[in-house]
């Protein structure tokens, strides 16, 4: 069990999983061992994004075996942003955190974010990878993406897509997001900042993927993110207030999940 300086009263922790049969059981076991040291009451939500391997069966088996675990299923692969949206929609507690299902982050390192949130001056804590354990091509793409978000949106977060984030639920109330793809994380942070929410950043370790295959660098994923990026930027130039209201509530239901 991991202890942290600031222990939350309650925490919803979720992770997206697409064809992660080799990782999902180990990640849930890790979370069950770690989260009691981070929160008095917690839940674990597995978001199966239309996996075609054994991920759905394993997720349901884990949910049946542990009362703290629930599984949300997409009937088809809807994309990373849609998986995040389903995780937020399923979360029931006052604080919401997520990592990815590939185990490139340790659940225990959420304690670093919780400690920062516990200082009481911020609404969300965004992790940044101290040293990325990714191929060079993905690292270069990430740096260009960060620069584009800084130039066109003024978003100074150093690692926009780091899949280690923690939010106060109250800060997410009333925030709408439109993207269903990889741009969702950036869109959410842009809109939180536009509403005056206070963001902090904390460095977290990043570990090599030891099982499964990444999908984030696929051309279709990248093109969708580019499209969503420019749609938001153009709409903000044309009519800022309506652009910030577009989309569905990040805490709203997802009719495509079951």
């Amino acid at each position: 069990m991991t202890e942290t300086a600031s222990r939350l009263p309650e925490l919803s922790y979720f992770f997206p999983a697409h064809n992660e049969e080799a990782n999902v059981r180990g990640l849930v076991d890790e979370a069950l061992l770690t989260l009691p040291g981070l929160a008095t009451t917690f839940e674990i939500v597995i978001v199966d994004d239309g996996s075609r391997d054994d991920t759905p069966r394993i997720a349901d088996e884990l949910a049946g075996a542990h009362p703290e675990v629930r599984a949300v299923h997409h009937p088809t692969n809807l994309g990373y942003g849609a998986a995040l949206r389903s995780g937020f929609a399923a979360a029931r507690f006052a604080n919401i955190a997520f990592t990815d299902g590939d185990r490139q982050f340790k659940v225990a390192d959420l304690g670093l974010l919780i400690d920062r949130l516990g200082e009481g001056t911020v609404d969300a804590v965004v992790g940044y990878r101290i040293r990325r354990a990714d191929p060079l091509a993905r690292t270069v793409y990430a740096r260009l993406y960060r620069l584009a978000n800084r130039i066109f949106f003024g978003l100074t977060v150093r690692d926009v897509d780091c899949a280690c984030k923690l939010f106060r639920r109250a800060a997410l109330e009333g925030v709408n997001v439109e993207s269903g793809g990889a741009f969702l994380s950036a869109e959410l942070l842009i809109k939180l900042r536009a509403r005056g929410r206070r963001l902090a950043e904390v460095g977290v370790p990043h570990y090599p993927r030891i099982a499964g295959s990444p999908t984030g660098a696929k051309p279709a994923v990248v093109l969708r993110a580019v499209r969503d990026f420019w749609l938001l930027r153009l709409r903000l130039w044309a009519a800022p207030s309506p652009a910030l209201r577009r989309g569905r509530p990040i805490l709203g239901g997802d009719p495509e999940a079951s």
Side-chain angles (χ1 to χ4, degrees), residues 155-224:
L155 185 64
T156 57
V157 171
R158 70 186 78 182
D159 194 355
V160 176
D161 283 338
C162 178
C164 188
K165 293 184 173 74
L166 172 66
F167 303 85
R168 297 187 192 277
R169 183 184 189 90
L172 299 171
E173 294 286 353
V175 177
N176 295 344
V177 289
E178 190 169 17
S179 176
F183 184 63
L184 183 140
S185 286
E187 181 185 356
L188 177 58
L189 296 180
I190 290 164
K191 290 184 173 180
L192 283 173
R193 194 196 59 173
R195 285 177 167 266
R197 304 296 194 258
R198 298 159 298 176
L199 308 180
E201 297 180 77
V202 172
V204 293
H206 191 229
Y207 302 90
R209 175 188 270 272
I210 58 174
S213 300
T215 60
K218 289 184 176 181
V221 174
V222 174
L223 288 173
R224 184 178 186 182

Side-chain angles (χ1 to χ4, degrees), residues 70-148:
R70 291 186 290 132
V72 174
H73 298 284
H74 291 171
T76 59
N77 179 229
L78 301 178
Y80 184 71
L84 291 183
R85 187 191 294 276
S86 289
F88 281 111
R92 298 180 296 191
F93 294 146
N95 301 286
I96 305 171
F98 72 86
T99 67
D100 277 348
D102 56 14
R103 305 196 71 186
Q104 289 195 259
F105 296 95
K106 301 295 185 186
V107 179
D109 289 330
L110 288 175
L112 300 170
L113 281 63
I114 290 171
D115 285 344
R116 181 65 182 88
L117 192 74
E119 295 177 14
T121 59
V122 297
D123 299 300
V125 184
V126 181
Y128 64 88
R129 287 162 280 200
I130 296 171
R131 184 174 182 180
R132 287 185 66 125
D134 283 330
L136 178 61
R138 295 195 68 175
T139 301
V140 170
Y141 164 73
R143 289 177 178 173
L144 293 173
Y145 184 55
R146 177 181 67 186
L147 180 61

Side-chain angles (χ1 to χ4, degrees), residues 5-48:
S6 303
R7 193 162 177 256
L8 295 173
E10 55 183 33
L11 174 66
S12 293
Y13 165 67
F14 73 86
F15 62 88
H18 176 61
N19 295 338
E20 296 286 2
E21 63 181 6
N23 288 312
V24 63
R25 190 182 302 278
L27 182 50
V28 168
D29 288 345
E30 178 188 344
L32 288 168
L33 180 66
T34 303
L35 290 178
L38 303 180
T40 304
T41 302
F42 66 89
E43 65 176 352
I44 301 165
V45 180
I46 306 164
V47 183
D48 160 41

